[in-house]
């Protein structure tokens, strides 16, 4: 039995930086990697002089840990995680802890938590956000899984995490896959925020603004309610010049990549039947952008609107644009929290939404002042069913909505695609509508497929009408999302 506090497997960028962060906070860490050369290299370089020791094998790693032994994996999601769990388990004792800090799918984390708990091993799946810099100096950490592990890892996790308003951006999220689910929604929201900023940039281009002028506008916006990491880096990106002294941004190919967590969020939204439309549009927008060749061809063939030139008060429009971005962001976060609420209901996770907002408030890519307002809204009303109903956000949208509508109308007229800004407004209008045209939809379904409908005032009683006088009176079974 050794005296190290934690073992960490996986010496890629995130793993190395988390180890250095832990060591800086006074924890003794054992480092291990599948290719052991990386352990030697790490010890001889970045880890030199710090309270970090290396391991040559899994058994060696475990022998250097105090009990209960706690091993964190930062390896490629999927098979590598299962492979290390399989290698660790025969050497572990009841009560030992395995933490997966990779970008695992929450369903895998649910399975692993359950399988390992049957063997007496406590498993934790933790979202880790903030990239290289976050891992080194304070990430946002979203741990979930077997709660019995939390008292043993809480000190390390909360010490190394980012702090916002003096509080750690890390708390226990919930059972089994809750931590990785919340991390997935975080990444989906990140897709949405980035898409919204992209659409704003596109509209600024339609206003024929120069790079510096755009950067100045984002800089100004970053002083107020939009203050966030993504707005800040957008300003820096706009100002960046290459070694020829020319702006780099316009030279970058407009075809977006993706690693999958945005797509997972959209798939989860469809599976749970929650209208997370903005993240969906953000994922589809990346797909459309990647059809560069098709777009180049279509550009020559498909007609533009008659007016492509903005003619109005630019200053006034820019303020409208700021409001549209803010209102759309509120809708996007409201949708993300709706998704978490539904998943929590299905999986019986006891999620604390104010605490989740605080975890995202610092350290991660979507960190912002705005998340402080979300935390306050949930602190004021723990049972808040939608962020859109919090008095602060009702007021914010009411102030922004005229500008928001003007931006969408202008974008449509000029032919500038704004899928995320537009879907946010469409969602808002749908959500605030007591009446929607779904009565017609129900009638159509019953007409062609005898799917039945309910009459207003007689909810729960499904009836069928023989609309043509020709069909039978047998109704089909139906399902509801
Ligand atoms: P490596 O350095 O030996 O490739 C990020 O890729 C991290 O995940 C690295 O530490 C890498 O180890 C590890 N990794 C990737 N695939 C793996 C696998 N199939 N089994 C074990 N470790 C793996």
């Amino acid at each position: 039995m050794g005296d190290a506090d934690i073992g960490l497997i996986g010496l890629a960028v995130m793993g190395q930086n988390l180890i250095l962060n832990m060591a800086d906070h006074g924890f003794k860490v054992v480092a291990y990697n599948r290719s052991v050369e990386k352990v030697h290299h790490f010890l001889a370089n970045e880890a030199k002089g710090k309270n970090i020791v290396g391991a040559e094998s899994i058994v060696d790693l475990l022998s250097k840990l105090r009990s209960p032994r706690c091993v964190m994996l930062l390896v490629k999601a999927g098979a590598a995680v299962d492979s290390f769990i399989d290698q660790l388990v025969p050497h572990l004792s009841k009560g030992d802890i395995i933490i997966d800090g990779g970008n695992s799918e929450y369903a895998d984390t649910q399975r692993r938590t359950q399988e390992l708990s049957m063997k007496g091993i406590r498993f934790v799946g933790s979202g880790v956000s903030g990239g290289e810099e976050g891992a080194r100096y304070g990430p946002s950490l979203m741990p979930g899984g077997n709660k019995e592990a939390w008292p043993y890892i809480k000190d390390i996790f909360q010490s190394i995490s980012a702090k916002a308003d003096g509080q750690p951006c890390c708390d226990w999220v919930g059972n089994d896959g809750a931590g990785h689910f919340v991390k997935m929604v975080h990444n989906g929201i990140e897709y949405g925020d980035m898409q919204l900023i992209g659409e704003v940039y596109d509209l600024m281009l339609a206003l024929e603004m120069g790079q510096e002028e755009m950067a100045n506008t984002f800089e100004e916006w970053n002083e107020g309610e939009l203050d966030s990491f993504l707005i800040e880096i957008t300003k820096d990106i706009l100002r960046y010049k290459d070694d020829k002294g020319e702006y780099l941004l316009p030279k970058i190919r407009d075809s977006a990549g993706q690693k999958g967590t945005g797509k997972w969020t959209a798939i989860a939204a469809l599976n749970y039947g929650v209208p997370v439309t903005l993240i969906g549009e953000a994922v589809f927008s990346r797909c459309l952008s990647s059809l560069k060749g098709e777009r180049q061809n279509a550009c020559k063939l498909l007609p533009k609107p008659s007016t492509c030139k903005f003619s109005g008060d630019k200053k006034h429009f820019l303020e409208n644009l700021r409001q549209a971005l803010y209102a759309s962001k509120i809708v996007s976060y409201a949708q993300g929290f709706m998704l978490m609420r539904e998943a929590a209901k299905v999986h019986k996770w006891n999620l604390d939404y104010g605490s989740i907002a605080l975890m995202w408030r610092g350290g991660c890519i979507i960190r912002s002042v705005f998340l402080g307002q979300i935390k306050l809204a949930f602190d004021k009303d723990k049972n808040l069913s939608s962020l859109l109903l919090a008095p602060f956000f009702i007021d914010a949208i009411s102030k922004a909505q005229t500008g928001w509508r003007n931006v969408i109308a202008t974008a449509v007229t000029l032919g500038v695609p704004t899928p995320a800004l537009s879907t946010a407004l469409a969602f808002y209008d749908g959500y605030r509508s007591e009446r929607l045209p779904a009565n017609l939809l129900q009638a159509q379904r019953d007409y062609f497929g005898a799917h039945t409908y309910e009459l207003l005032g007689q909810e729960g009683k499904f009836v069928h009408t023989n609309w043509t006088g020709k069909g039978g009176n047998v109704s089909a079974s139906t399902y509801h999302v």
Side-chain angles (χ1 to χ4, degrees), residues 169-184:
C169 296
C170 167
D171 207 345
W172 186 253
V173 176
N175 286 341
D176 55 72
H180 274 134
F181 191 89
V182 166
K183 170 64 174 24
M184 177 193 78

Side-chain angles (χ1 to χ4, degrees), residues 192-266:
D193 279 357
M194 292 167 73
Q195 176 63 26
L196 286 170
I197 296 173
E199 291 174 16
V200 164
Y201 162 62
D202 213 8
L203 281 162
M204 287 177 169
L205 287 173
L207 299 184
E208 296 177 329
M209 289 171 72
Q211 296 255 142
E212 188 59 27
E213 193 182 3
M214 291 190 240
N216 292 342
T217 307
F218 280 112
E219 187 165 28
E220 203 180 293
W221 291 0
N222 206 34
E223 300 292 312
E225 53 205 1
L226 286 172
D227 181 345
S228 61
F229 172 70
L230 283 169
I231 295 279
E232 189 186 327
I233 66 164
T234 302
K235 170 252 309 173
D236 292 341
I237 290 167
L238 282 159
R239 289 208 175 118
Y240 191 89
K241 289 185 177 162
D242 60 15
D243 44 20
K244 290 195 188 117
E246 294 163 354
Y247 287 116
L248 177 60
L249 183 59
K251 299 183 182 181
I252 295 177
R253 189 165 185 266
D254 50 328
S255 170
Q258 46 181 318
K259 275 191 160 176
T261 37
K263 182 176 80 180
W264 295 350
T265 314

Side-chain angles (χ1 to χ4, degrees), residues 10-12 33-35 38 74-76 79-80 83-84:
L11 295 184
N33 193 68
R34 174 180 62 171
S35 341
K38 285 197 189 159
L74 271 146
V75 297
K76 202 162 170 246
S83 155
F84 273 117

